[in-house]
Amino acid sequence: MRILRRCNIFLTDSASNFRIPQLQQHYDLVAARPTDDRTLQQACMSLDVDIISLDLTRRFESHFKFPTLGMAISRGIKIEICYSQGIMSNDPGAKRNLISNATQLIRVTRGRGLIFSSEAKSVLGIRAPSDVINLASVWGLGTERGKDGLTKEARSVVEFARLKRQSFKGIVDIVYGGEKPVETLAHGAKDKQGQKGKANKNQNGKRPGGSLECTPLHETKVDKPVSKRQEAKNKKAKIQVGGEEKQP
């Protein structure tokens, strides 16, 4: 089990967000919460954050636009939808705004790059994964997309943030696989040399390729067996020689 540290930044002014790279060194995830359209556009276009978390219980000045949110999704930034604010709120306007904004957000992003979170302040505001998927389907998101928002997309934002902080330019990651101890290598080399020495000698302490006179077997002369065909030729030659001797 790995515990992650997350930092939530409320964007109120577009000119005071220069300390975000310093926060990335101390936190695993950095989430930005824009408060107006200008800060939302800045977070989607230029800010180096991992998550854009929107307060969907309030009414925004303008509608969400695909070029703005699509740029954030193409950069690997995920859009977070928090459902607990509308469920636990006693204000009917907050619930109405949550449903309207979530439906519009799902329609504009086409269901891509969305993650679901509770942002609950108590246990009563947390819902089961199946309930969240059903709630997303009511808002217009498919069942598969809703499941990805709880599993696949949530994991991808964590891994992408880790690679961005630990790897080279977020692409190449060096994994240490371990090395063999030096003592094990030395013992292994000695064992191999001992096995080679034993294999090169027989029971008499000599090489298996040598004879008693220290002459290799391939150099000793051994009579080869004569085939039947050669025996017939030799016999025929002897008969011819004997016949020639009998003639005067």
Side-chain angles (χ1 to χ4, degrees), residues 62-210:
S62 61
H63 297 286
F64 298 117
K65 299 178 181 179
F66 177 75
T68 304
L69 297 177
M71 179 61 70
I73 295 172
S74 63
R75 293 174 56 211
I77 301 175
K78 305 300 179 182
I79 311 299
E80 184 181 36
I81 298 178
C82 301
Y83 59 86
S84 178
Q85 299 173 352
I87 294 175
M88 300 300 295
S89 178
N90 296 325
D91 185 10
K95 296 181 179 181
R96 183 172 58 252
N97 292 333
L98 174 64
I99 296 173
S100 177
N101 292 329
T103 304
Q104 182 184 358
L105 192 62
I106 291 172
R107 179 178 55 82
V108 171
T109 59
R110 301 168 188 173
R112 295 177 297 179
L114 299 178
I115 59 175
F116 294 93
S117 178
S118 63
E119 199 179 2
K121 297 180 180 179
S122 63
V123 183
L124 298 176
I126 301 176
R127 294 294 182 269
S130 58
D131 296 336
V132 178
I133 294 173
N134 293 333
L135 185 62
S137 63
V138 172
W139 291 340
L141 188 64
T143 305
E144 295 182 358
R145 292 283 187 180
K147 185 178 180 181
D148 291 342
L150 293 174
T151 56
K152 181 180 178 181
E153 298 293 342
R155 180 176 177 80
S156 65
V157 68
V158 174
E159 293 298 327
F160 185 74
R162 183 186 64 83
L163 288 175
K164 187 165 58 175
R165 288 162 174 77
Q166 298 180 3
S167 63
F168 177 73
K169 293 184 179 181
I171 300 174
V172 181
D173 189 13
I174 300 175
V175 180
Y176 177 73
E179 297 178 356
K180 292 184 178 181
V182 181
E183 297 180 356
T184 306
L185 294 174
H187 287 301
K190 290 181 180 179
D191 294 340
K192 288 182 179 180
Q193 291 179 359
Q195 291 177 0
K196 287 183 179 179
K198 291 180 181 179
N200 292 334
K201 293 184 179 181
N202 55 12
Q203 295 180 356
N204 297 326
K206 296 183 179 181
R207 293 181 178 274

Side-chain angles (χ1 to χ4, degrees), residues 37-74:
D37 295 341
R38 182 177 297 178
T39 53
L40 175 61
Q41 186 175 4
Q42 183 190 17
C44 294
M45 296 293 182
S46 59
L47 289 185
D48 190 9
V49 295
D50 304 314
I51 301 172
I52 295 178
S53 180
L54 299 174
D55 185 8
L56 301 180
T57 57
R58 70 180 188 87
R59 189 171 183 177
F60 289 87
E61 299 176 359
S62 61
H63 297 286
F64 298 117
K65 299 178 181 179
F66 177 75
T68 304
L69 297 177
M71 179 61 70
I73 295 172
S74 63

